[in-house]
Amino acid sequence: MVASAGLLFAAVPNVVAEVDALVNMLRPPTQRALAMAGSAFTPARSFISKEEYLRSCLDVPKSLDVLLRPATERSGLLAACRDTARAVQAEMPTYALPYLVEADVSAALGESFAVALERARDLAPHVHWLADRRVVLARARMAQLDDVGRAGFERDLAELFGSAEGRRALAMHYLRWPDMRERLTNLAEAASHEVQRDFLAKVRQQAGGGS
């Protein structure tokens, strides 16, 4: 009985941490980011808590509220995300998300990011939402990529173009990124007629012209 009670009380801090993490997950992205900045939101031990924290970190570099904060606070938040991502990598070295987070926030900090980006790509080449985030980061930092990084960017584009979900993401990018239209057009022209029609329909849909 005493031993059972001891185990129960020992588990209480973990339960509280999981509940706190869950409450923070339910906050809007900006509020989550501010909680992270003040160390009021840290991941608990569960996988879902770590995943939600890391997903929140992906919102940080482009968050308007974070961008408007003093440079020291913004750098501190980015560094917290980077350090947490590296800690999760040590626990789960085959989990792709923390490598993508490290790449994203390291790039925002002006630090080296290409190795982490390539590792994220190697671990989850076919997960479309991760491939899309890699494309966004690589395009924004293309001048800082070497031949390996640029080849990885091309692989991610091809991966996205190979599925309806990926083509939907690329259709949005086609409209937002004039500099990428020729490259995406070339991908479409190299695909089957069915895929070409699907991509064109998705571009028209995103442009508000229906299918």
Side-chain angles (χ1 to χ4, degrees), residues 161 165-176 184 198-207:
F161 212 87
E165 179 185 354
R167 288 191 293 275
R168 184 176 298 108
L170 291 178
M172 290 188 290
H173 297 328
Y174 184 90
L175 297 172
R176 296 171 181 171
L184 295 176
D198 180 67
F199 181 64
L200 180 58
K202 286 177 168 53
V203 171
R204 287 174 174 168
Q205 186 178 42
Q206 292 296 331

Side-chain angles (χ1 to χ4, degrees), residues 21-132:
L22 177 60
V23 169
N24 279 293
M25 290 175 205
L26 299 176
R27 293 180 176 183
T30 297
Q31 291 184 19
R32 284 203 306 270
L34 294 178
M36 291 158 66
S39 299
F41 176 25
T42 55
R45 295 180 63 182
S46 69
F47 174 81
I48 189 171
S49 173
K50 291 181 174 67
E51 181 175 42
E52 288 301 321
Y53 182 94
L54 292 169
R55 283 177 178 257
S56 296
C57 282
L58 289 175
D59 294 327
V60 169
K62 297 293 193 304
S63 166
L64 179 60
D65 191 80
V66 173
L67 289 170
L68 292 175
R69 300 189 73 77
T72 52
E73 287 187 27
R74 181 172 180 270
S75 295
L77 175 53
L78 291 167
C81 284
R82 179 201 60 205
D83 294 345
T84 299
R86 289 174 177 172
V88 176
Q89 291 169 22
E91 294 178 38
M92 296 180 281
T94 60
Y95 179 30
L97 181 56
Y99 294 94
L100 178 60
V101 169
E102 181 188 355
D104 201 28
V105 298
S106 293
L109 284 165
E111 300 173 353
S112 175
F113 66 93
V115 172
L117 180 60
E118 188 64 23
R119 181 61 175 159
R121 183 178 292 114
D122 289 343
L123 289 172
H126 308 304
V127 179
H128 293 136
W129 79 270
L130 292 175
D132 185 46

Side-chain angles (χ1 to χ4, degrees), residues 132-205:
D132 185 46
R133 294 299 298 243
R134 294 193 301 267
V135 162
V136 171
L137 174 58
R139 173 188 168 272
R141 305 282 177 171
M142 188 63 68
Q144 298 166 252
L145 295 178
D146 59 11
D147 290 344
V148 172
R150 286 189 287 272
F153 173 71
E154 293 294 334
R155 291 200 306 276
D156 281 337
L157 286 178
E159 177 66 34
L160 288 172
F161 212 87
S163 72
E165 179 185 354
R167 288 191 293 275
R168 184 176 298 108
L170 291 178
M172 290 188 290
H173 297 328
Y174 184 90
L175 297 172
R176 296 171 181 171
W177 298 344
D179 59 299
M180 285 297 298
R181 288 176 187 166
E182 182 177 357
R183 181 70 191 96
L184 295 176
T185 298
N186 291 339
L187 280 173
E189 290 176 346
S192 67
H193 291 305
E194 181 181 358
V195 168
Q196 289 181 32
R197 288 194 298 269
D198 180 67
F199 181 64
L200 180 58
K202 286 177 168 53
V203 171
R204 287 174 174 168
Q205 186 178 42

